[in-house]
C-alpha cells in the first residue's frame, strides 16, 4: 500500500498495464517527454520508450483515427484527449467509428481502446476545458463511459478499462487530480466496469452521483447523519450503460432518490437515472425523484464558476426537500 | 515610394504553385505508347490480364446498375470511368496489404478478396456483408469521407510498430474528400510517424455536384500532400499501366520504410454520384462529358491490345458472359442470407454484455421465438 493522489493512481495504472502487455500504447498531445499537461503520464516514456509512449501531432481526430488503425493491427491503444472539451474534434472517431466496429463487422473486429480525458469544473480554466460533456458520450451504443470518484477506483477502473476489449471513455476529474489522496495497493487490481458502488449505506434516501459529486454527497450524508437521517450514497462509476440493479435496489429500500450531476440539466446522466426509476421503480417511491445539476447555460466564465457549479448546500437542500415531500 | 516593389510577390508565388505536377502517362488517349520501356516489361498475356480487370469492373458496374434498378441491390455508387484508376492501383497491392476503402471502392474490395455476394449483401444492408475473416486485410467501406485516411495512418503505424516487412496500408478518397480535415490529418500523422501508407485520391471531377474547380484554390490535389511533407504525384487515371506503375512504385517506397505517398489519379465519374436519385444533368453538360467518355480507360487499352493482335471481340464477349455468370451466382448466394436478428445485433454491441443489453436480448429472444 502507498498513499497516492488520484492522478498518481492513474499513472500507476498506466505503468502497470504498459508493463504487463507490450501491445498497450499510450499516446496523445504532450504525453511523451512532457508527461502530459497534468503529468498523468510522467516518466512513462523514459521507462517504456518512445515506441510505446509517444507524442502525436496536435489533432484530435487524427488521434482517434490512429487509435482505430492501431487497434486493427492488434494494439491496445490508450490515447489521451488533453481536455474533454476537445472531443468534438474527434467525435466521428468515437461515435461514428470505434464504438460501431464490433457491431458493423458482425463481431469480427474489436476496438480495445481506452480514451482518457480530464474534465470537470472548479479550477478556473479557459473556455472548453471544464465542461461536463458525458451526456453526449452516454448516448453512444458500444461505448462505455467510466468516471472514478477516488484514487482507489481511478486505478482499478482504469486497469479494467484498458483490459476490456471494447472502447471505454475514461473521464478523469480535474479537481480531484491532486485534492484527494488514499492508500491504495501497489500491485495491479481491477474494479469492475458496469457496476455502481454503494459507498455509504443508508435507509432514508438514496443520493445517486458520480465523480466529484460523490464526495460532496458523502459530506451531506455525514452532516444529515447527525440529525438522525440515514443517507445512502451510490457512486455510479460506469455512467453509461447504467448499473440499473444497484440503483433500483437502493430506491426500493429507501423510497426516495436524488440524482446528482455537475453537468447542465438537459439530457444528462441524472435524467437517465430519473427515467430508469420512473420506468422500473416508480412504485417504490414516496416522493418524486430529485435532481441536482448546473443551470442550462454554456459553461460559465472562470470567475463565475463557483456560483454555477452544483454545490454541497444545493445537494443538502434538495435532499431535505425530497425527504420532507 | 509608389514604384517600389513589395518585399514579397504573392501573385508570382500563387501562379507557380502546383505547376511542377505533370501527370504520369504510359499510353495516351489514342493508345499511343508514351513510355515503351514500361510496356516492354509485360508479356501480352499479362497485359490481357490487366485488361480483364477493367472489363470485369465495367461488367460488375453494368450488372450492379441493372440490379439496383430492379430493386435487387440497395446502395450503389457507380464506378464507370474509374476502372483504370481503381483496378490499376489495386492490382499493384498485395493481399497482405490493408485496404481502407470508401463506398466507391467496392471493386477493389472484391479484387482484394471480398466475395461478390458479400459486396451485394453490404449494398442491400445486411450485416453478413461486413463479416470479414480475420485474414482478410480490409475494413468495410467507409461512409464518413476522410475517416478512412486517419484510420489508414493508424494501420500504417501499427504495421511499422509490429515490424511487419513488405506491408502497407492503402486507402482511397475522391476529390471531394480532399477538403476534409481528416484527409490532411491522416497524411500528416502518417508523415510524422513515417508510416507505410499509400494515400490515393481518385479525382473524378465532382464532389457529388460540386466541380473540382470550386472545391479548392489549389491547382492540383496532389500538392496537398506537399504540406504534409510527403511525396505526391499526379497520374493519368484513364491509363491503367500508368496508375499501376505509379502505385507499385509508391508501394515499394512506403514498404521500404520511407514513409507515406500521395497519388492523385485524374479520372471521371461517367455516371451519377449514387443510384439514389442523383442526376448529373443538373450540374454538368454534354459538352463537358463527351471528351471524358471518349477518354474511356477501356477504349485506349482495348485498341492497344487489338492492334497487337492480343485481344478480339469474341474473347471480350466470352469473358463478359463469364463475369455475368459469376455475378448471377453471387446474387443467388446473397438471396440465401438469413434474416437478420435483433438478438444477434445486441450480442455484437459489446463483448461482455452490460445490463441494458442483457435485458434487451431477453426481450427480443421472447419475440424471436414466437
Amino acid at each position: 500500500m502507498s498513499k497516492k493522489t488520484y492522478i498518481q493512481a492513474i499513472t500507476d495504472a498506466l505503468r502497470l498495464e504498459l508493463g504487463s502487455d507490450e501491445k498497450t500504447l499510450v499516446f496523445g498531445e504532450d504525453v511523451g517527454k512532457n508527461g502530459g499537461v497534468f503529468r498523468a503520464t510522467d516518466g512513462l516514456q523514459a521507462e517504456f520508450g518512445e515506441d510505446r509512449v509517444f507524442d502525436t501531432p496536435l489533432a484530435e481526430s487524427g488521434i482517434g483515427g490512429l487509435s482505430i488503425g492501431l487497434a486493427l493491427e492488434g494494439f491496445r491503444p490508450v490515447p489521451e484527449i488533453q481536455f474533454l472539451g476537445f472531443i468534438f474534434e474527434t467525435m466521428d472517431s468515437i461515435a461514428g467509428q470505434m464504438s460501431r466496429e464490433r457491431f458493423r463487422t458482425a463481431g469480427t473486429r474489436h476496438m480495445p481502446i481506452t480514451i482518457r480525458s480530464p474534465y470537470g469544473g472548479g479550477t478556473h480554466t479557459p473556455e472548453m476545458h471544464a465542461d461536463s460533456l458525458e451526456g453526449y458520450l452516454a448516448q453512444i451504443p458500444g461505448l462505455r463511459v467510466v468516471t472514478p470518484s477516488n484514487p482507489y477506483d481511478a486505478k482499478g477502473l482504469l486497469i479494467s478499462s484498458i483490459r476490456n476489449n471494447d472502447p471505454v471513455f475514461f473521464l478523469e476529474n480535474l479537481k480531484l487530480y491532486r485534492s484527494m489522496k488514499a492508500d491504495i495497493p501497489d500491485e495491479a487490481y481491477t474494479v469492475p466496469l458496469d457496476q455502481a458502488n454503494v459507498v455509504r449505506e443508508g435507509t432514508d434516501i438514496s443520493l445517486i452521483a458520480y465523480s466529484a459529486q460523490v464526495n460532496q454527497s458523502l459530506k451531506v450524508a455525514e452532516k444529515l447523519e447527525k440529525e438522525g437521517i440515514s443517507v445512502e450514497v451510490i457512486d455510479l462509476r460506469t455512467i453509461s450503460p447504467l448499473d440499473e440493479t444497484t440503483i433500483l435496489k437502493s430506491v426500493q429500500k429507501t423510497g426516495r432518490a436524488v440524482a446528482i450531476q455537475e453537468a447542465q440539466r438537459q439530457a444528462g446522466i441524472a435524467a437517465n437515472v430519473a427515467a430508469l426509476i420512473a420506468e422500473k421503480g416508480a412504485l417504490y417511491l414516496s416522493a418524486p425523484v430529485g435532481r441536482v445539476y448546473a443551470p442550462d447555460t454554456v459553461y460559465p466564465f472562470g470567475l463565475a464558476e463557483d456560483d454555477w457549479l452544483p454545490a454541497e448546500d444545493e445537494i443538502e437542500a434538495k435532499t431535505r426537500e425530497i425527504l420532507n415531500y | 515610394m509608389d514604384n517600389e516593389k513589395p518585399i514579397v510577390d504573392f501573385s508570382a508565388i500563387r501562379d507557380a504553385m502546383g505547376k511542377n505536377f505533370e501527370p504520369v502517362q504510359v499510353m495516351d488517349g489514342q493508345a499511343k505508347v508514351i513510355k515503351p520501356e514500361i510496356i516492354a516489361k509485360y508479356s501480352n498475356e499479362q497485359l490481357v490480364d490487366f485488361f480483364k480487370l477493367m472489363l470485369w469492373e465495367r461488367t460488375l458496374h453494368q450488372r450492379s446498375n441493372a440490379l439496383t434498378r430492379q430493386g435487387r441491390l440497395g446502395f450503389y455508387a457507380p464506378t464507370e470511368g474509374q476502372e483504370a484508376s481503381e483496378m490499376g492501383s489495386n492490382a499493384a497491392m498485395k493481399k497482405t496489404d490493408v485496404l481502407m476503402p470508401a463506398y466507391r471502392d467496392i471493386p477493389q474490395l472484391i479484387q482484394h478478396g471480398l466475395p461478390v455476394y458479400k459486396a451485394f449483401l453490404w449494398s442491400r444492408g445486411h450485416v453478413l456483408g461486413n463479416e470479414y475473416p480475420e485474414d482478410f486485410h480490409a475494413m468495410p467501406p467507409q461512409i464518413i469521407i476522410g475517416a478512412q485516411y486517419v484510420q489508414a495512418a493508424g494501420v500504417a503505424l501499427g504495421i511499422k510498430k509490429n515490424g511487419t516487412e513488405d506491408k502497407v496500408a492503402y486507402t482511397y478518397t475522391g476529390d471531394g474528400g480532399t477538403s476534409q480535415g481528416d484527409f490532411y490529418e491522416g497524411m500528416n500523422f502518417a508523415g510524422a510517424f513515417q508510416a507505410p501508407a499509400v494515400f490515393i485520391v481518385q479525382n473524378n471531377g465532382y464532389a457529388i455536384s460540386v466541380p473540382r474547380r470550386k472545391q479548392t484554390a489549389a491547382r492540383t490535389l496532389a500538392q496537398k500532400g506537399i504540406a504534409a511533407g510527403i511525396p505526391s504525384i499526379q497520374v493519368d487515371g484513364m491509363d491503367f499501366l500508368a496508375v499501376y506503375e505509379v502505385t507499385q512504385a509508391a508501394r515499394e517506397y512506403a514498404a521500404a520504410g520511407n514513409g507515406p505517398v500521395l497519388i492523385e489519379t485524374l479520372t471521371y465519374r461517367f455516371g451519377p454520384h449514387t443510384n439514389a436519385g442523383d442526376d448529373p444533368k443538373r450540374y454538368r453538360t454534354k459538352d463537358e462529358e463527351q471528351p471524358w467518355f471518349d477518354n474511356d480507360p477501356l477504349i485506349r487499352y482495348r485498341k492497344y491490345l487489338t492492334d497487337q493482335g492480343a485481344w478480339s471481340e469474341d474473347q471480350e464477349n466470352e469473358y463478359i458472359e463469364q463475369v455475368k455468370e459469376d455475378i448471377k451466382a453471387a446474387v443467388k448466394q446473397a438471396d440465401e442470407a438469413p434474416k437478420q436478428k435483433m438478438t444477434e445485433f445486441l450480442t455484437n454491441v459489446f463483448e461482455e454484455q452490460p445490463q441494458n443489453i442483457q435485458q434487451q436480448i431477453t426481450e427480443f429472444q421472447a419475440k424471436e421465438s414466437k
Side-chain angles (χ1 to χ4, degrees):
Chain A
M1 298 284 262
S2 311
K3 220 170 202 44
K4 293 260 165 75
T5 61
Y6 184 97
I7 194 166
Q8 284 169 338
I10 286 162
T11 313
D12 219 18
L14 293 171
R15 179 180 294 110
L16 287 162
E17 290 311 286
L18 281 163
S20 66
D21 179 1
E22 61 171 19
K23 289 290 183 189
T24 300
L25 303 174
V26 168
F27 53 91
E29 295 156 9
D30 307 298
V31 306
K33 200 166 186 185
N34 199 32
V37 291
F38 292 104
R39 310 289 175 260
T41 55
D42 196 23
L44 297 181
Q45 188 177 70
E47 191 173 342
F48 296 99
E50 282 190 48
D51 199 44
R52 307 275 313 283
V53 180
F54 56 95
D55 292 318
T56 64
L58 198 167
E60 286 78 16
S61 188
I63 293 170
L66 199 73
S67 306
I68 293 165
L70 286 165
L72 289 172
E73 280 300 297
F75 289 91
R76 199 167 279 279
V78 189
E80 175 179 302
I81 297 297
Q82 200 160 66
F83 288 91
L84 185 60
F86 306 168
I87 53 162
F88 295 105
E89 296 291 332
T90 188
M91 211 55 175
D92 177 55
S93 284
I94 300 163
Q97 309 288 332
M98 66 177 74
S99 58
R100 304 165 69 101
E101 297 298 13
R102 181 183 291 282
F103 179 87
R104 72 193 279 266
T105 62
T108 61
R109 302 290 186 277
H110 64 277
M111 294 279 124
I113 300 168
T114 301
I115 306 174
R116 299 176 35 250
S117 193
Y119 81 124
T123 60
H124 303 295
T125 53
E127 279 184 290
M128 296 302 291
H129 282 63
D131 297 53
S132 288
L133 305 173
E134 62 274 20
Y136 292 88
L137 299 168
Q139 212 205 347
I140 303 170
L143 179 74
R144 283 186 170 85
V145 187
V146 173
T147 185
S149 68
N150 60 70
Y152 180 87
D153 283 355
K155 179 171 171 178
L157 285 170
L158 183 52
I159 291 176
S160 294
S161 300
I162 294 171
R163 292 181 186 176
N164 191 276
N165 283 335
D166 290 305
V168 174
F169 207 105
F170 192 84
L171 295 162
E172 301 169 1
N173 191 286
L174 244 166
K175 203 174 178 184
L176 299 184
Y177 264 165
R178 289 187 169 77
S179 64
M180 269 191 107
K181 260 190 173 181
D183 270 322
I184 61 169
D186 294 321
E187 67 277 9
Y189 61 91
T190 58
V191 168
L193 304 179
D194 302 337
Q195 281 183 32
N197 188 23
V198 180
V199 285
R200 182 191 171 98
E201 293 202 25
T203 51
D204 296 331
I205 189 164
S206 308
L207 302 189
I208 302 157
Y210 56 96
S211 196
Q213 299 302 323
V214 172
N215 304 307
Q216 297 213 90
S217 299
L218 282 169
K219 283 183 196 157
V220 170
E222 279 161 29
K223 189 174 175 188
L224 295 183
E225 190 184 25
K226 290 174 192 140
E227 299 172 27
I229 301 167
S230 170
V231 178
E232 180 145 303
V233 179
I234 293 176
D235 179 353
L236 289 172
R237 300 196 293 201
T238 295
I239 56 180
S240 183
L242 286 174
D243 174 0
E244 302 185 3
T245 312
T246 301
I247 296 168
L248 291 170
K249 202 172 140 199
S250 176
V251 176
Q252 187 173 19
K253 177 172 68 175
T254 63
R256 294 169 197 271
V258 177
I260 301 145
Q261 66 182 21
E262 189 177 304
Q264 296 87 335
R265 187 183 67 169
Q266 55 198 40
I269 304 298
N272 282 353
V273 171
L276 168 74
I277 298 171
E279 188 183 7
K280 296 181 178 172
L283 298 181
Y284 306 145
L285 293 174
S286 313
V289 176
R291 279 198 281 167
V292 179
Y293 41 73
D296 284 335
T297 68
V298 167
Y299 193 92
F301 304 95
L303 291 175
E305 74 178 338
D306 291 341
D307 297 329
W308 186 87
L309 290 165
E312 204 182 306
D313 57 358
E314 288 172 61
I315 300 173
E316 184 186 334
K318 184 57 75 176
T319 306
R320 288 185 190 279
E321 180 194 321
I322 300 301
L323 277 166
N324 299 323
Y325 184 82
Chain B
M1 296 293 279
D2 282 356
N3 294 331
E4 264 183 46
K5 278 190 181 171
I7 188 165
V8 182
D9 185 350
F10 285 107
S11 300
I13 294 174
R14 181 198 61 207
D15 293 343
M17 278 191 306
K19 263 199 169 157
N20 50 341
F21 285 94
E22 190 61 46
V24 175
Q25 228 179 17
V26 171
M27 185 194 292
D28 75 6
Q30 278 69 51
K32 190 181 139 212
V33 175
I34 309 288
K35 288 192 169 62
E37 71 279 13
I38 298 290
I39 300 227
K41 286 163 64 176
Y42 302 101
S43 68
N44 276 354
E45 205 177 6
Q46 285 172 307
L47 293 175
V48 163
D49 284 345
F50 287 153
F51 182 65
K52 280 182 172 173
L53 286 173
M54 288 200 289
L55 195 54
W56 169 82
E57 179 170 337
R58 179 64 55 88
T59 310
L60 178 72
H61 158 75
Q62 286 165 347
R63 291 307 303 143
S64 300
N65 228 1
L67 289 164
T68 310
R69 290 208 185 98
Q70 294 162 18
R72 302 194 69 186
L73 281 184
F75 177 75
Y76 176 61
T79 56
E80 191 176 29
Q82 297 183 215
E83 291 85 354
S85 172
E86 298 198 332
M87 291 297 99
S89 53
N90 195 70
M93 297 300 177
K94 296 194 172 172
K95 288 278 190 287
T96 43
D97 294 334
V98 182
L99 168 58
M100 305 295 280
Y103 47 77
R104 210 179 303 282
D105 306 316
I106 309 306
Q108 298 98 298
L109 256 181
I110 295 170
Q111 287 299 330
H112 200 55
L114 185 70
V116 179
Y117 84 93
K118 286 207 175 229
F120 287 169
L121 283 173
W122 172 80
S123 164
R124 289 178 179 183
H126 196 296
V127 64
L128 289 182
N130 284 354
E131 190 187 54
Y132 295 177
E134 211 172 303
D135 61 355
F136 178 43
H137 303 285
M139 281 301 276
Q142 182 56 249
I143 297 296
I144 301 302
I145 288 310
Q148 72 274 32
Y149 263 59
V150 281
Q151 292 175 18
V155 172
L157 182 59
I159 291 168
K160 184 176 178 180
K161 286 192 182 298
N162 279 325
T164 319
E165 302 269 328
D166 194 30
K167 181 177 176 181
V168 303
Y170 69 112
T171 187
Y172 293 86
T173 192
D175 44 302
T178 68
S179 294
Q180 286 279 7
D182 273 359
F183 168 75
Y184 175 72
E185 286 186 33
M187 289 194 301
N188 193 53
F189 271 58
F193 296 124
Q194 290 292 284
V198 176
F199 296 108
I200 300 161
V201 174
Q202 297 194 76
N203 174 358
N204 68 11
Y206 286 86
I208 301 189
S209 67
V210 181
R212 154 67 186 83
R213 67 178 185 282
K214 287 189 179 172
Q215 295 171 29
T216 173
R219 189 189 302 268
T220 69
L221 302 179
Q223 76 201 60
K224 293 190 178 194
I226 305 295
I230 71 178
S232 309
I233 193 137
Q234 260 190 342
V235 57
D236 180 351
M238 299 308 211
D239 182 353
F240 182 98
L241 290 171
V243 176
Y244 179 75
E245 285 281 330
V246 164
T247 311
Q248 203 174 45
R251 189 197 173 281
E252 262 172 43
Y253 174 89
N258 296 306
V261 177
L262 174 68
I263 300 168
E264 177 189 3
T265 68
L266 300 173
T267 181
Y268 198 74
R269 195 190 74 211
F270 286 7
H273 167 63
T274 70
N275 274 12
D278 180 46
D279 178 8
K281 284 202 285 288
R282 293 175 67 89
Y283 50 83
R284 64 191 199 195
T285 62
K286 275 221 150 54
D287 287 349
E288 179 199 305
E289 287 174 340
Q290 197 53 51
W292 280 107
F293 294 161
D294 296 340
N295 199 16
D296 186 323
L298 276 74
I299 293 177
R300 72 171 81 164
Y301 204 107
R302 183 189 290 114
K303 183 175 182 325
Y304 177 82
L305 288 183
T306 313
D307 290 350
Q308 298 292 308
W311 190 248
S312 69
E313 207 180 323
D314 285 350
Q315 276 173 289
E316 179 145 342
N317 290 335
E318 192 186 328
Y319 183 69
I320 288 172
E321 282 315 306
Q322 186 193 321
V323 175
K324 280 184 179 170
E325 282 305 310
D326 293 347
I327 291 170
K328 212 169 151 184
V331 172
K332 197 162 169 255
Q333 198 174 354
D335 289 344
E336 285 160 13
K339 189 174 166 358
Q340 302 177 85
K341 285 185 177 164
M342 281 312 135
T343 44
E344 283 169 16
F345 284 158
L346 285 159
T347 310
N348 286 333
V349 178
F350 293 105
E351 182 178 53
E352 294 162 35
Q353 316 304 348
Q355 289 175 27
N356 60 332
I357 301 287
Q358 287 173 25
Q359 290 163 14
Q360 290 167 32
I361 288 175
T362 310
E363 284 168 30
F364 279 97
Q365 268 169 347
K367 283 183 192 169
E368 285 169 3
S369 64
K370 272 179 194 165

